[in-house]
């Protein structure tokens, strides 16, 4: 599983690059309830969403146990900053195998699935809630990780060796 990286850990005021391990797995699991009738919306918000959020927070708080490098529960906003009826969880895993093991056997994922099944039963398996998963396994060299003035526990920083990044303007770096 994950272990803290060795070496200097101070990252504030610095521009840091991290080399990602081979075959990191990225998942974005999304939820949208804009088309849900009031009863279904209520069931989702009271039954499923809290369990989903708790699962994402577990992954965020227990990377050593799960193999999940970083997990973020994201609430999507409109252009004016108001919340939409859309959320997603974005997570990076050490490997697809780590993700699959969590989904099959971990109590937090089993609870998410059980809450969703509860919603299905309550609404006679006829729902308008939209759910989807986007998964990618990223080959070595396809993921660039750069952190500018970030807390030492941000993203991949706590787990992998890092080096000082070249001092060039950010926009110049992407050209």
């Amino acid at each position: 599983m994950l272990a803290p990286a060795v070496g200097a850990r101070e990252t504030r005021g610095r521009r840091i690059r991290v080399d990602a391990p081979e075959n990191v797995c990225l998942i974005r699991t999304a939820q949208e309830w804009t088309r849900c009738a009031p009863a279904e919306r209520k069931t989702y918000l009271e039954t499923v969403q809290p369990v989903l959020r708790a699962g994402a927070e577990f992954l965020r708080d227990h990377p050593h146990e799960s193999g999940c490098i970083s997990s973020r529960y994201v609430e999507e906003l409109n252009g004016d900053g108001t919340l939409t009826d859309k959320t997603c969880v974005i997570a990076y895993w050490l490997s697809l195998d780590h993700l699959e093991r969590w989904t099959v056997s971990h109590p937090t994922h089993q609870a998410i699935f059980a809450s969703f099944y509860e919603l299905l039963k309550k609404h006679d398996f006829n729902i308008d809630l939209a759910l989807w998963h986007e998964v990618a396994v990223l080959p070595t060299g396809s993921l660039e990780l750069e952190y500018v003035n970030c807390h030492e526990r941000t993203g991949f920083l706590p787990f992998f060796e890092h080096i000082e990044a070249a001092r060039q303007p950010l926009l110049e770096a992407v050209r």
Side-chain angles (χ1 to χ4, degrees):
M1 289 296 169
L2 289 169
V6 257
R9 304 307 319 150
E10 182 53 48
T11 55
R12 297 280 183 161
R14 295 173 63 200
R15 186 173 179 168
I16 307 289
R17 285 188 54 94
V18 175
D19 288 327
E22 187 174 337
N23 296 324
V24 166
C25 180
L26 167 65
I27 184 169
R28 176 177 177 261
T29 177
Q31 308 78 41
E32 180 178 352
W33 56 97
T34 55
R35 295 184 308 268
C36 293
E40 182 184 342
R41 175 188 178 85
K42 183 177 189 311
T43 305
Y44 173 74
L45 294 174
E46 293 177 0
T47 305
V48 181
Q49 191 180 51
V51 180
L52 175 66
R53 183 186 293 263
E57 290 170 357
F58 172 85
L59 292 172
R60 178 198 66 206
D61 296 341
H62 298 89
H64 299 21
E65 180 181 335
S66 65
C68 183
I69 300 164
S70 176
S71 172
R72 297 292 179 260
Y73 182 86
V74 179
E75 296 177 294
E76 296 187 24
L77 305 176
N78 286 316
D80 64 2
T82 58
L83 287 171
T84 67
D85 290 340
K86 300 175 187 176
T87 58
C88 67
V89 176
I90 300 172
Y92 285 94
W93 295 78
L94 279 173
S95 68
L96 181 59
D97 183 58
H98 286 89
L99 169 61
E100 288 175 334
R101 277 188 270 152
W102 178 75
T103 61
V104 169
S105 62
H106 200 274
T108 53
H109 191 265
Q110 290 172 344
I112 294 166
F113 192 80
S115 69
F116 174 65
Y117 191 69
E118 217 176 290
L119 178 137
L120 285 173
K121 288 191 311 186
K122 184 171 184 169
H123 297 281
D124 298 321
F125 294 85
N126 184 15
I127 63 169
D128 292 311
L129 175 66
L131 304 171
W132 64 96
H133 296 77
E134 300 161 353
V135 178
V137 175
L138 307 169
T140 303
S142 64
L143 180 61
E144 292 188 19
L145 304 164
E146 191 165 309
Y147 300 88
V148 179
N149 196 32
C150 292
H151 189 278
E152 63 193 22
R153 291 189 311 257
T154 303
F156 286 56
L157 286 174
F159 309 111
F160 302 101
E161 294 299 319
H162 56 262
I163 59 169
E164 200 78 27
R167 297 257 180 216
Q168 61 185 5
L170 283 177
L171 291 178
E172 190 176 301
V174 295
R175 290 186 189 147

